[in-house]
Amino acid sequence: MTETRAGAAKAGDAERPALPATSWAVLGLLSFGEELSGYDLKKWSDGSLRFFYWSPSFSQIYGELKRLENVGYVSSRMVAQETGNRDKRVYVITDEGMAAVRHWAREAPVEPPVLKHGVMLRLWLGHLLEADRMRDVLGRHREYAEAMRQRAEVDVESARAEEAWAYPSLVLKWSERFYTAERDLADAMLADLDEMDGGQRQGLPDGSGPDGP
């Protein structure tokens, strides 16, 4: 089932519009009850969604907001800013939108995540790389995973301070564990490379290297 078809569901006699998962993610951010601008939604997605889904760009967020407003799931208004800058548009979820995102969260099919792991692909092609280059790739991936783990750990604590973010804090905890596992897997792969390299050296006659004694 495609992402679009998965978003379609019936509500009484009326069929809900088919929406991509990114629409549900943006609507989900609004389901916490805050009136938010597109800028606010981008900040919220960077602090939460990016750890386990992805963080849409500003243009994607505004595109989804327009789509959601067209189907009646959000409403918007212009508000003046205290700083004297130009007015900004803020969005709030409608009752129909709340019912729709609740239905999606309850009834959408459980689809397996799609794993597109660039580092694993490059390791798979390790016969085309020098050993030091492969270790460098894994080392940089380890650094990235550890940085994301630390950021998720900080955001878990921040989310716990807000009662409404109880479930997002659980997902951030999941994200922290995920990046811990990615860091540890990189360490394990580096150890496996060392073991592989040691075994290849031991297989050479008289312990000589590839260029002779």
Side-chain angles (χ1 to χ4, degrees):
M1 182 178 292
T2 65
E3 180 184 69
T4 299
R5 290 178 58 196
K10 287 190 175 182
D13 295 330
E15 185 172 327
R16 290 194 174 96
L19 297 175
T22 304
S23 291
W24 297 116
V26 172
L27 193 60
L29 289 170
L30 289 167
S31 72
F32 291 93
E34 299 281 347
E35 192 176 42
L36 302 171
S37 67
Y39 176 77
D40 296 328
L41 286 163
K42 176 60 176 171
K43 287 200 304 181
W44 281 33
S45 64
D46 285 347
S48 180
L49 290 179
R50 77 183 181 101
F51 288 104
F52 59 90
Y53 183 62
W54 70 310
S55 182
S57 66
F58 279 109
S59 62
Q60 289 168 323
I61 286 174
Y62 284 113
E64 295 302 337
L65 287 169
K66 182 177 180 180
R67 187 204 307 265
L68 292 167
E69 191 165 22
N70 286 339
V71 299
Y73 287 173
V74 304
S75 62
S76 68
R77 66 186 181 96
M78 298 297 294
V79 298
Q81 299 202 67
E82 297 178 357
T83 58
N85 294 332
R86 66 179 184 177
D87 295 351
K88 68 176 180 179
R89 184 173 296 277
V90 294
Y91 298 82
V92 67
I93 193 168
T94 63
D95 291 343
E96 185 180 359
M98 186 69 80
V101 72
R102 179 179 288 113
H103 184 279
W104 182 84
R106 287 169 55 93
E107 305 297 338
V110 177
E111 298 178 346
V114 177
L115 180 61
K116 296 173 67 176
H117 202 305
V119 174
M120 290 177 66
L121 181 60
R122 293 174 73 175
L123 182 60
W124 182 66
L125 295 172
H127 61 289
L128 304 178
L129 302 178
E130 299 82 6
D132 287 347
R133 180 57 179 158
M134 192 66 253
R135 287 185 176 86
D136 178 62
V137 169
L138 284 168
R140 285 188 285 123
H141 177 63
R142 187 199 185 282
E143 291 175 0
Y144 164 78
E146 174 60 12
M148 290 293 285
R149 184 202 67 78
Q150 292 177 7
R151 176 63 189 272
E153 183 180 38
V154 170
D155 287 357
V156 166
E157 295 304 317
S158 298
R160 284 175 178 166
E162 297 289 338
E163 184 177 352
W165 285 81
Y167 288 101
S169 69
L170 288 180
V171 176
L172 286 169
K173 187 67 176 177
W174 183 337
S175 301
E176 180 187 349
R177 291 167 177 160
F178 170 82
Y179 287 110
T180 298
E182 280 292 294
R183 178 200 64 192
D184 294 346
L185 283 169
D187 284 336
M189 286 294 100
L190 287 166
D192 288 344
L193 284 176
D194 289 340
E195 182 179 352
M196 180 188 299
D197 186 48
Q200 290 173 344
R201 286 198 302 269
Q202 290 177 8
L204 294 172
D206 301 323
S208 61
D211 298 323

